[in-house]
Amino acid sequence: MTHEFKKIVAAHVAAKAKDIKSVLATVVALEGSSYRKPGVRMLLLANGEMVGAVSGGCVEKEIQLQAQSVFETTIPKIMTYDGRYRLGCEGVLYILIEPFNLSNLFIETFHNALKDRLSFKITSYYKKEVIQEIGLGTKVQFQSSTYPVSLKHPLNTDCKSLEERMSPCFKLLIIGTEHDAVVLSSMAHLMGWEVHIVAHPLEAKTMSDFPGSSAFEQITPENYDASELDAQTAVVLMNHSYAKDLLFLQALQYSTPAYVGILGPMHRREKLLDEIIDKNPEVSEDFIGIIYGPAGLNIGSVTPEEIALSILAEIMSVVRKENPMFLKDKLNQYSN
């Protein structure tokens, strides 16, 4: 996922500034089932630190041992990890381990892609065998340029390849500044989402009141520009004010987020929608269809933390196009 790769790049940049070498580990193929799927990555530093994980915690120590030869020789390798005898996931992982030494141009282009919310593609070249060989490795394709993650060796594009399209980081826009908004902001940050807060100018709050938030804007609904909201964005209205929610819904009606959540009972949502349609009979059915209220899944939530959990779970189910269910009732339990 993009936010995981973002953390890997940030950790590499910090390590490089201290002259600490980095190695990237990527699950490139899988036979059977596993905790994580191909495309998951982690960073290993020469000082023994690790950033990210490719499993629930059982594989990482073995990867760290296998990475030593890559640190020493700079030659990429493929290792396998058979979880059928150790994890209980009944799968065999094929893991590419390679030097990770990003150029300044790569880092600049990557940061620009994040800022402009542009997608990019990561391609890893590998062989489905235990081998240490020049030519294995990864490149990243941006809009108009492609860079390898290391300039040490050329890539062998005749190898098998794993391609992954990376979407912009998922963004949660919280409109409101009450205590439940603070809790939702913190929990969304733990999920790796970018959290943006919109507050009315009369609210005496600042960005420091919202742990984990990456942007804070004080603006009236009449002046709010929602045109840049995209399908990688969810919005939750948490004003605890019917009038403010109505005005912000009007500001959002021409935008295209993946989800708009509203607090309060169902009749409150229906009243809001009635007023939106009454004021603009041409409002699109697509916009009406992405409005969820009361926001959240029915999991018995009572406290602000529990309510935040139910909202985040509902957003995930909508974005991933999944019907919430007990995993014990799902036939393929490791494809969630």
Side-chain angles (χ1 to χ4, degrees):
M1 291 188 173
T2 303
H3 74 271
E4 292 177 322
F5 192 65
K6 178 182 175 182
K7 289 180 180 178
I8 285 173
V9 172
H12 163 70
V13 171
K16 190 175 182 179
K18 300 177 182 177
D19 201 28
I20 300 173
K21 293 181 180 180
S22 305
V23 160
L24 180 70
T26 305
V27 176
V28 289
L30 168 66
E31 293 177 356
S33 61
S34 181
Y35 184 79
R36 295 290 302 268
K37 296 295 180 279
V40 63
R41 300 171 181 84
M42 65 178 293
L43 189 72
L44 300 101
L45 303 181
N47 64 1
E49 293 181 17
M50 295 184 287
V51 178
V54 299
S55 75
C58 301
V59 186
E60 286 68 23
K61 290 181 180 179
E62 182 67 23
I63 294 175
Q64 194 171 37
L65 290 174
Q66 294 279 347
Q68 295 311 305
S69 65
V70 179
F71 277 118
E72 294 167 3
T73 67
T74 73
I75 299 176
K77 70 189 298 184
I78 297 290
M79 63 164 281
T80 60
Y81 190 92
D82 193 338
R84 292 173 296 182
Y85 305 105
R86 291 180 277 188
L87 291 178
C89 292
E90 301 185 355
V92 179
L93 299 174
Y94 291 82
I95 302 167
L96 167 65
I97 307 175
E98 61 185 307
F100 195 68
N101 187 14
L102 305 179
S103 66
N104 291 335
L105 193 54
F106 181 112
I107 295 167
E108 179 184 357
T109 305
F110 177 69
H111 287 158
N112 287 337
L114 293 179
K115 178 173 63 70
D116 296 334
R117 298 187 62 75
L118 300 174
S119 62
F120 55 95
K121 184 172 71 174
I122 302 179
T123 304
S124 295
Y125 296 98
Y126 68 96
K127 292 185 177 181
K128 208 170 180 183
E129 59 182 292
V130 176
I131 190 171
Q132 187 157 13
E133 180 178 280
I134 292 174
L136 307 176
T138 299
K139 68 179 182 181
V140 180
Q141 179 181 342
F142 299 98
Q143 296 295 304
S144 58
S145 54
T146 301
Y147 305 102
V149 300
S150 174
L151 297 173
K152 190 70 177 178
H153 305 292
L155 295 174
N156 181 3
T157 56
D158 292 328
C159 292
K160 293 178 180 293
S161 64
L162 171 70
E163 294 186 353
E164 186 179 12
R165 174 65 62 176
M166 308 294 281
S167 300
C169 290
F170 194 80
K171 180 167 68 176
L172 177 63
L173 176 66
I174 300 175
I175 303 179
T177 60
E178 299 298 336
H179 174 65
D180 52 0
V182 176
V183 174
L184 184 62
S185 173
S186 298
M187 294 179 66
H189 172 68
L190 291 176
M191 295 178 64
W193 296 0
E194 292 183 353
V195 182
H196 291 204
I197 308 296
V198 171
H200 194 278
L202 296 179
E203 300 286 349
K205 296 289 180 71
T206 66
M207 188 170 173
S208 62
D209 294 307
F210 294 88
S213 63
S214 55
F216 182 89
E217 182 179 15
Q218 286 188 301
I219 192 169
T220 63
E222 294 85 356
N223 292 321
Y224 180 69
D225 180 11
S227 62
E228 293 187 359
L229 300 185
D230 54 32
Q232 283 292 108
T233 304
V235 182
V236 182
L237 294 168
M238 308 186 78
N239 289 297
H240 295 275
S241 163
Y242 180 88
K244 289 180 182 177
D245 280 353
L246 177 60
L247 290 173
F248 273 109
L249 264 182
Q250 288 179 278
L252 294 169
Q253 63 182 314
Y254 297 109
S255 63
T256 57
Y259 170 100
V260 177
I262 303 173
L263 299 183
M266 188 176 298
H267 67 79
R268 184 177 186 272
R269 179 199 67 188
E270 296 303 317
K271 184 179 178 182
L272 283 166
L273 294 183
D274 286 344
E275 284 210 51
I276 288 289
I277 295 171
D278 184 58
K279 293 176 183 296
N280 179 18
E282 303 301 319
V283 64
S284 73
E285 292 184 6
D286 289 342
F287 178 70
I288 299 299
I290 63 171
I291 297 176
Y292 292 77
L297 297 179
N298 181 23
I299 57 174
S301 301
V302 176
T303 67
E305 292 78 10
E306 294 169 350
I307 293 170
L309 176 63
S310 75
I311 293 173
L312 295 174
E314 181 177 57
I315 293 171
M316 279 193 61
S317 70
V318 170
V319 172
R320 304 278 175 86
K321 296 180 172 58
E322 292 283 353
N323 182 31
M325 62 185 299
F326 293 114
L327 280 177
K328 70 181 182 66
D329 297 328
K330 189 173 183 179
L331 294 180
N332 186 358
Q333 295 185 15
Y334 289 95
S335 63
N336 54 314

